[in-house]
Amino acid sequence: MTIGTSGVVTPSTPEILARRPFVRWVGGKTRLLPKILPYIPEEFKNYFEPFLGGGAMFFGVQDRIAGTAYLADLNQHLVAAWVAMRDHQEELRPRLEWYKEHDSKDFYYQVRSEAPTGLIETAARFLYLNGVSWNHLWRENSKTGAMNVPWGDRQFKSFSEETFVAIANTLRIADVRAEDFRTVLAKAMPGDFVYLDPPYLPVFTKSDVEKEPTSKFNKYTAKVFGEEDLLQLADICNDLSKRGIRWVMSNRDTPGVRELFPNADIIGFTTHRSLAAQSKREVEARKSPEAIIVGR
């Protein structure tokens, strides 16, 4: 820790880096942490985050975890990056430097068209594409699974030595897997804590979903998270509460979402979204209703 000119104690550089996501992810919660953290227990045994993305919440609560952080996502490219940053930095670093040296618009599209199979190359490619894609967006074609986001007209910066070291140290407690949320949450036990940040769905009602699930919300992976998935997640949350497992969810504040969680405490507020979609018809409102759902 260091003391600034104002006398305020501030985190030193390594501590800041250890709390900063190394992946930019649409819908990430870095800016909303001050709103959400007060509703998260000060300490718990194991931590579960099955919609990992950039993992802003994991980095924010790492000091509260007494046991293991079970982190998961269905995007295998993303998971490869997390695993490589934890276990294979010696092999990963020169690959990222190679991407940095060859970086260009044409090179981006060449890399985007490739489909590596090895963990290190998959991780390096993901981190490169995520670093220079439009709005740092990762989106996959639902039929082919190919990443299809255009070039973002920015340079690839890779990571500093300090960032590599800080992230490796932070991830020592992390078990990272490409698993479905249903599988991950089945492992939670009393004394653990679960944080959920599923893809946000359009406005809907529970009865509409039961009649005909129709959402086509996102393609972060080839498999789209839809209304039926959210219904099942709500049932799992109800079961977590019955078993005495504490959980908090972030979601869009809509009547449909509130209907799914009648026994939870729901805190609504408005946040600003800075991401614009490629089609003007898809641009979200600058002010968006957000909900913190606290299980009880």
Side-chain angles (χ1 to χ4, degrees):
M1 305 292 283
T2 58
I3 301 179
T5 55
S6 64
V8 176
V9 178
T10 58
S12 60
T13 299
E15 291 171 309
I16 293 175
L17 292 174
R19 286 169 168 75
R20 185 179 298 163
F22 62 92
V23 171
R24 294 282 296 273
W25 200 250
V26 174
K29 292 299 180 288
T30 299
R31 291 187 300 108
L32 298 183
L33 285 181
K35 291 274 191 182
I36 304 171
L37 286 175
Y39 299 98
I40 293 180
E42 288 298 322
E43 57 182 24
F44 37 84
K45 186 177 180 181
N46 299 313
Y47 173 75
F48 290 80
E49 187 171 350
F51 302 97
L52 181 56
M57 187 59 67
F58 161 68
F59 288 107
V61 303
Q62 58 181 285
D63 293 337
R64 308 184 188 191
I65 305 170
T68 300
Y70 292 96
L71 312 177
D73 200 284
L74 283 181
N75 189 313
Q76 298 191 20
H77 307 272
L78 170 70
V79 170
W82 278 80
V83 172
M85 287 292 278
R86 183 192 63 190
D87 299 335
H88 304 284
Q89 287 193 7
E90 185 175 346
E91 303 98 313
L92 179 65
R93 293 188 192 195
R95 293 302 299 162
L96 293 178
E97 284 302 312
W98 184 82
Y99 279 114
K100 186 176 180 180
E101 292 171 5
H102 291 80
D103 182 32
S104 70
K105 180 179 180 179
D106 290 341
F107 181 70
Y108 171 85
Y109 285 107
Q110 175 188 329
V111 172
R112 196 187 73 169
S113 69
E114 297 170 351
T117 57
L119 186 143
I120 304 303
E121 188 51 54
T122 297
R125 174 180 176 270
F126 172 87
L127 291 170
Y128 170 68
L129 294 178
N130 176 261
V132 297
S133 66
W134 181 78
N135 262 327
H136 301 281
L137 180 65
W138 184 278
R139 181 186 59 209
E140 296 180 4
N141 183 288
S142 59
K143 294 182 179 179
T144 66
M147 194 271 203
N148 58 12
V149 179
W151 181 59
D153 194 14
R154 65 168 60 84
Q155 292 183 329
F156 180 58
K157 298 180 180 179
S158 189
F159 305 98
S160 67
E161 173 69 19
E162 293 79 9
T163 297
F164 276 118
V165 172
I167 296 301
N169 289 335
T170 301
L171 294 183
R172 288 177 181 175
I173 65 169
D175 179 314
V176 190
R177 305 189 183 202
E179 286 186 339
D180 184 83
F181 68 88
R182 302 164 185 85
T183 303
V184 178
L185 296 179
K187 306 171 187 175
M189 301 293 289
D192 298 337
F193 174 72
V194 174
Y195 174 67
L196 304 160
D197 186 22
Y200 291 5
L201 303 181
V203 177
F204 69 96
T205 65
K206 185 175 180 180
S207 58
D208 290 337
V209 175
E210 292 171 341
K211 291 177 182 177
E212 184 179 3
T214 58
S215 176
K216 298 180 180 178
F217 170 69
N218 76 78
K219 292 183 176 64
Y220 297 148
T221 65
K223 180 184 183 300
V224 176
F225 183 94
E227 290 99 332
E228 192 63 37
D229 296 298
L230 184 57
L231 283 175
Q232 293 182 27
L233 181 57
D235 289 339
I236 291 173
C237 288
N238 186 52
D239 181 65
L240 291 174
S241 294
K242 289 180 178 178
R243 294 196 288 130
I245 299 170
R246 295 170 292 182
W247 59 273
V248 168
M249 178 188 293
S250 295
N251 215 307
R252 193 190 306 275
D253 192 357
T254 68
V257 167
R258 287 180 175 263
E259 185 181 358
L260 290 180
F261 301 95
N263 299 318
D265 295 322
I266 300 180
I267 300 90
F269 63 97
T270 300
T271 186
H272 291 268
R273 296 189 179 276
S274 59
L275 177 66
Q278 286 181 260
S279 167
K280 291 183 179 180
R281 292 174 298 177
E282 298 172 347
V283 174
E284 291 194 57
R286 291 184 62 85
K287 291 185 178 181
S288 181
E290 189 88 9
I292 301 170
I293 306 169
V294 183
R296 54 181 171 86

